[in-house]
């Protein structure tokens, strides 16, 4: 861990983070004590929390950082305005830091490296400069975007006007000075603090608690509870394994309001080209993680008691990997052929489509075989333990 130095403190960030936190825990309770909480103030808080929170997860994160989908200019503009109102820097800087995080996860070049401590990953990296300043070499695509450049130039003013002044103005028109003060404190300041820590949880808790069903190559984890605090970003292990998918909660039952919002925007023509990882690739990643876990359980038992299970699993795994490699090869060929279908003959496309369908059927059969073998092995291991 880098040695602390007062010279490294980023005072504007530190004072803003601590100042808004102080106002939230002192001024907001005093206001509520004197005036109470009206349905208007609660609703305004929720609306601004949703607009600014989703502008980070949907806009800054999945749209601008990962190009997980394409959006029309109104969606881009709204997420840039209310992303600024979240007071998490400009989209250009935010995305540059985030792409560095994915490129160097858990290593020194990771801006919010969890190995430097929970507090550093949560908010310490914003308050104290411990590494190199943000570099923009990894965001040339965003630097070419006129809306992103405009927001980068004026994001402080945009944030103040949209995140603090606008709620107060709405409150004034609703109920005069008392309502304006409440709107400023609740939908402005307290909402800012709430969105901050909702986002910060992704960098800290989502690299600390939960499971790793798709990959153990980094500390990112899935946790259903964290999804409720992060607009669906709590399924962070999936995201690090498949960062360009527009979904984080890939299962139908997983809470991911950002995914649902993107889907809804696509249904009304405001979003398109939603990127999805094939189900076969996702399932293969899950099984690949199950295999070493099962091997670790067998390693602590007498070799003779698990010898038959080991032989069976090795054979099933070999067939599964062979089926996946064949499917993966044909999937790439088929996708490329479909992209250039005008250059391919109808007969060639039909032949490739048939081969791809057969490869998928064999892969699905291999998945079922593994699931049966896995279940049988767990039962055998439990009996041998």
């Amino acid at each position: 861990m880098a040695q602390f130095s007062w010279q490294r403190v980023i005072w504007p960030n530190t004072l803003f983070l601590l100042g808004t936190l102080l106002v939230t825990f002192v001024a907001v309770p005093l206001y509520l004590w004197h005036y109470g909480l009206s349905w208007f103030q609660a609703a305004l808080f929720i609306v601004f929390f949703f607009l600014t929170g989703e502008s980070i997860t949907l806009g800054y994160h999945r749209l601008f950082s990962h190009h997980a989908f394409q959006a029309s200019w109104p969606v881009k503009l709204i997420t840039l305005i209310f992303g600024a109102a979240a007071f998490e820097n400009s989209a250009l800087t935010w995305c540059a830091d985030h792409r560095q995080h994915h490129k160097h996860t858990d290593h020194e070049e990771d801006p919010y490296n969890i190995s430097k401590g929970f507090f550093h990953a949560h908010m310490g990296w914003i308050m104290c400069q411990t590494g190199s300043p943000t570099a923009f070499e990894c965001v040339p695509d965003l630097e070419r975007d006129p809306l992103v450049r405009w927001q980068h130039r004026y994001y402080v003013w945009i944030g103040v006007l949209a995140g603090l002044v606008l709620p107060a103005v709405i409150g004034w028109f609703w109920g005069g000075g008392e309502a304006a003060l409440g709107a400023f404190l609740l939908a402005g300041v307290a909402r800012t603090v709430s969105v901050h820590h909702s986002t910060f949880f992704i960098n800290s808790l989502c690299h600390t608690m939960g499971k790793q069903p798709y990959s153990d190559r980094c500390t990112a984890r899935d946790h259903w509870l964290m999804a409720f605090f992060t607009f669906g970003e709590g399924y962070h292990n999936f995201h690090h394994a498949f960062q360009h998918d527009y979904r984080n909660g890939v299962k139908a039952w997983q809470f991911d309001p950002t995914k649902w919002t993107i889907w809804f925007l696509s249904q009304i023509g405001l979003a398109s080209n939603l990127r999805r990882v094939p189900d076969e690739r996702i399932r293969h990643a899950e099984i690949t993680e199950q295999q070493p876990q099962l091997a670790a359980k067998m390693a602590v038992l007498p070799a003779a008691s698990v010898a038959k299970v080991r032989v069976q699993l090795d054979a099933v795994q070999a067939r599964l990997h062979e089926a996946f490699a064949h499917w993966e090869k044909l999937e790439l060929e088929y996708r490329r052929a479909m992209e250039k279908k005008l250059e391919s003959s109808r007969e060639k496309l039909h032949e490739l489509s048939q081969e791809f369908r057969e490869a998928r059927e064999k892969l699905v059969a291999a998945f079922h075989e593994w699931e049966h073998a896995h279940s049988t092995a767990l039962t055998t291991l439990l009996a041998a333990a």
Side-chain angles (χ1 to χ4, degrees):
M1 181 180 293
Q3 186 176 3
F4 176 78
S5 170
W6 286 106
Q7 284 72 33
R8 291 182 175 270
V9 175
I10 307 173
W11 288 108
N13 293 356
T14 300
L15 293 175
F16 185 79
L17 288 172
L18 298 182
T20 52
L21 195 64
L22 182 65
V23 170
T24 298
F25 283 103
V26 176
V28 170
L30 287 175
Y31 176 87
L32 295 176
W33 175 268
H34 284 285
Y35 302 108
L37 178 64
S38 68
W39 71 266
F40 167 77
Q41 299 290 8
L44 197 64
F45 174 91
I46 292 171
V47 168
F48 272 80
F49 180 76
F50 179 83
L51 284 173
T52 53
E54 286 248 318
S55 290
I56 295 297
T57 59
L58 183 151
Y60 277 29
H61 188 207
R62 303 192 197 184
L63 174 60
F64 293 115
S65 290
H66 295 294
H67 296 304
F69 66 102
Q70 293 180 2
S72 61
W73 73 263
V75 174
K76 293 171 67 174
L77 180 61
I78 289 171
T79 56
L80 287 170
I81 289 173
F82 286 100
F87 295 102
E88 296 187 16
N89 220 313
S90 70
L92 189 67
T93 301
W94 197 102
C95 295
D97 285 331
H98 189 69
R99 289 182 184 180
Q100 284 292 104
H101 168 66
H102 273 273
K103 186 177 180 180
H104 304 288
T105 308
D106 301 335
H107 293 86
E108 185 63 31
E109 297 86 352
D110 181 354
Y112 23 97
N113 182 359
I114 191 65
S115 65
K116 293 184 178 180
F118 184 92
F119 180 76
H120 170 85
H122 191 72
M123 60 192 292
W125 72 280
I126 305 171
M127 302 169 67
C128 187
Q129 185 70 51
T130 58
S132 302
T134 300
F136 296 106
E137 289 84 358
C138 59
V139 287
D141 54 314
L142 299 181
E143 289 186 303
R144 292 191 295 268
D145 190 315
L147 281 176
V148 173
R149 290 200 308 270
W150 166 77
Q151 194 243 25
H152 182 66
R153 191 175 300 116
Y154 302 111
Y155 74 93
V156 174
W157 286 108
I158 297 170
V160 170
L161 291 174
L164 298 176
V165 175
L166 180 59
V169 170
I170 294 173
W172 177 271
F173 280 105
W174 177 262
E178 176 188 317
L181 176 61
F184 172 80
L185 290 173
L186 290 164
V189 180
R191 182 270 315 161
T192 296
V193 172
S194 300
V195 171
H196 275 169
H197 292 279
S198 171
T199 306
F200 299 165
F201 279 152
I202 302 166
N203 303 331
S204 55
L205 283 174
C206 290
H207 281 265
T208 305
M209 57 185 287
K211 298 181 179 179
Q212 296 180 299
Y214 303 101
S215 174
D216 63 357
R217 287 174 293 180
C218 70
T219 56
R221 298 173 182 274
D222 281 3
H223 199 292
W224 67 269
L225 181 61
M226 292 312 306
F228 284 91
F229 293 100
T230 59
F231 293 92
E233 303 280 271
Y235 300 105
H236 205 51
N237 186 253
F238 176 86
H239 173 62
H240 269 263
F242 306 108
Q243 61 180 282
H244 299 298
D245 198 307
Y246 85 96
R247 308 160 299 174
N248 273 15
V250 68
K251 311 294 186 184
W253 62 86
Q254 292 176 329
F255 183 76
D256 187 356
T258 302
K259 170 188 69 177
W260 300 330
T261 304
I262 295 170
W263 177 86
F264 175 75
L265 291 173
S266 72
Q267 297 304 298
I268 60 175
L270 295 177
S272 61
N273 295 333
L274 278 57
R275 299 171 70 178
R276 296 170 57 107
V277 176
D279 294 341
E280 295 82 3
R281 197 175 296 278
I282 295 171
R283 186 70 188 109
H284 183 261
E286 290 178 300
I287 291 174
T288 300
E289 284 304 304
Q290 290 172 356
Q291 289 169 353
Q293 295 168 10
L294 195 56
K297 292 177 180 179
M298 289 191 293
V300 299
L301 296 173
S305 64
V306 296
K308 186 177 179 180
V309 173
R310 193 187 301 276
V311 170
Q312 181 186 16
L313 283 175
D314 287 345
V316 172
Q317 288 176 17
R319 287 193 291 271
L320 173 59
H321 290 317
E322 181 181 355
F324 180 76
H326 183 56
W327 172 87
E328 190 174 39
K329 175 178 176 292
L330 286 175
E331 192 265 344
L332 179 60
E333 291 179 6
Y334 182 69
R335 180 155 40 87
R336 286 176 175 173
M338 290 301 293
E339 290 171 356
K340 302 178 179 179
K341 57 184 175 182
L342 293 179
E343 301 174 14
S344 304
S345 67
R346 182 176 301 178
E347 293 77 9
K348 178 64 177 177
L349 280 175
H350 178 73
E351 179 183 341
L352 189 56
S353 175
Q354 182 65 27
E355 289 181 19
F356 181 49
R357 189 181 305 112
E358 291 173 357
R360 184 184 183 280
E361 290 172 355
K362 289 181 180 178
L363 180 58
V364 171
F367 286 154
H368 291 323
E369 187 183 19
W370 162 260
E371 289 161 3
H372 177 72
H374 183 253
S375 177
T376 302
L378 289 177
T379 303
T380 304
L381 294 178
L382 184 63

